[in-house]
Amino acid sequence: MKSPATATARQHSRWQQVLQIAGAFAIVAFHVQAPFSQMGWAAVEVFFVMAGMNMASSLDRDLSLAAYARQRFVRLMPELTVVWLATLAFVIAGRGSAGMAWFLGSAPFQLQNLTPLFFQYDLPRDAVFGPMWFLGSLFQLQVIVFALKRIVSSARPHWLIAAALCVGVSTRLLFALWKGHAMELDGSNAGVLYCMPFCHLEAIVLGVLLGRGAWPRFGRMLPWGIGTALAAGVLSLWLPGIGGLGGPSFEFPPRIHGSHLWAYPLLAFASGMHCAKDGML
């Protein structure tokens, strides 16, 4: 007879599988511009939250930082290698681009998400490697969180998430100021920001906290989380456009009305409420 703990773990595993499938379909639908898929890109935050939940148990293991980084590197390399070889084939065939050259040189070190600072995507050709920014950002965030595991394991949850919010928002603000305007980013720079690891810091830290059992029944706040996120996006429709840009602040990527500062943590919390073990779903 299965124990209640085993049954709960299996149920949670199945629910995560459902979320992973639904999130993958949402992201694909967004990229192929299927009807009603404009918010599909936001499902990426769900994957960062789940990654944090999955790594929570690793913080209690007797692993060195180098050993953990090596494990994560090996785990992520098969997918990256397939895309790397496909990109190399494009270059050999004479269909290469500046972005492909940057990707080929940076991907073996899981730094490919940082390279859009130095080139502009040449679509549709660069779509062959574009999604690989996610693996680089995920690897970097997981290594950073593991390096701080003593703090993560001992700090009070509300202080930890407050610190993640401060670091996440401040780094995005500094990036925006570097690009010329604190409350506005053009589409190109907003896309670069989206690939940076600290853009998704709140999501992975929240996932780790949920994975460690902090904030039981956090998922019961799901209506509040979704309502707040949607209200913030709808409210931006009524705000004047900045620099000729209009539309809701949840269009991809968040860039106007300061949405690059507040949209990501809101989506992280809404995603966490979906993923919570003791949530409504």
Side-chain angles (χ1 to χ4, degrees):
M1 183 176 180
K2 299 293 185 183
S3 67
T6 302
T8 301
R10 176 177 293 181
Q11 183 181 26
H12 176 55
S13 176
R14 288 176 177 172
W15 172 236
Q16 279 200 343
Q17 289 175 358
V18 171
L19 279 179
Q20 288 173 338
I21 294 170
F25 274 112
I27 293 169
V28 171
F30 168 78
H31 281 289
V32 300
Q33 299 182 343
F36 309 109
S37 65
Q38 292 88 343
M39 276 291 293
W41 66 272
V44 168
E45 300 306 308
V46 173
F47 287 96
F48 276 106
V49 170
M50 285 194 291
M53 295 176 71
N54 292 334
M55 77 169 294
S57 60
S58 299
L59 300 180
D60 298 322
R61 296 169 60 190
D62 187 19
L63 277 177
S64 67
L65 177 61
Y68 177 78
R70 184 168 57 252
Q71 284 186 1
R72 295 308 304 159
F73 188 84
V74 171
R75 167 61 186 86
L76 298 174
M77 279 309 292
E79 297 92 337
L80 195 61
T81 300
V82 170
V83 176
W84 192 91
L85 291 173
T87 305
L88 180 63
F90 270 83
V91 172
I92 293 175
R95 298 293 304 278
S97 66
M100 289 182 183
W102 277 105
F103 175 75
L104 291 175
S106 61
F109 307 99
Q110 286 288 9
L111 296 175
Q112 66 273 12
N113 61 306
L114 305 180
T115 59
L117 286 165
F118 309 108
F119 72 92
Q120 288 191 342
Y121 281 101
D122 178 13
L123 298 176
R125 286 191 298 173
D126 285 352
V128 67
F129 67 86
M132 290 296 101
W133 74 266
F134 176 85
L135 293 185
S137 187
L138 176 61
F139 175 80
Q140 294 154 23
L141 282 173
Q142 288 183 318
V143 170
I144 290 170
V145 171
F146 191 87
L148 300 173
K149 67 177 183 177
R150 290 187 179 180
I151 298 174
V152 173
S153 301
S154 59
R156 293 185 177 182
H158 60 279
W159 285 114
L160 198 59
I161 198 63
L165 281 166
C166 289
V167 173
V169 172
S170 62
T171 52
R172 293 191 291 271
L173 177 61
L174 288 173
F175 180 89
L177 289 171
W178 175 38
K179 294 301 181 180
H181 198 295
M183 301 300 288
E184 174 190 355
L185 281 173
D186 59 42
S188 177
N189 284 320
V192 171
L193 177 61
Y194 184 63
C195 298
M196 298 296 106
F198 287 107
C199 204
H200 311 278
L201 178 65
E202 296 94 333
I204 201 163
V205 170
L206 178 61
V208 169
L209 290 173
L210 295 176
R212 294 181 65 83
W215 297 326
R217 302 177 73 80
F218 181 74
R220 296 288 174 179
M221 301 172 64
L222 180 62
W224 177 89
I226 294 178
T228 302
L230 291 177
V234 171
L235 177 63
S236 69
L237 285 169
W238 302 97
L239 297 176
I242 302 175
L245 298 172
S249 290
F250 282 133
E251 61 183 343
F252 174 80
R255 62 186 187 271
I256 62 173
H257 305 141
S259 56
H260 50 285
L261 306 178
W262 53 259
Y264 292 106
L266 270 184
L267 292 174
F269 273 83
S271 299
M273 292 166 190
H274 278 85
C275 300
K277 298 177 181 179
D278 300 317
M280 293 180 63
L281 302 177

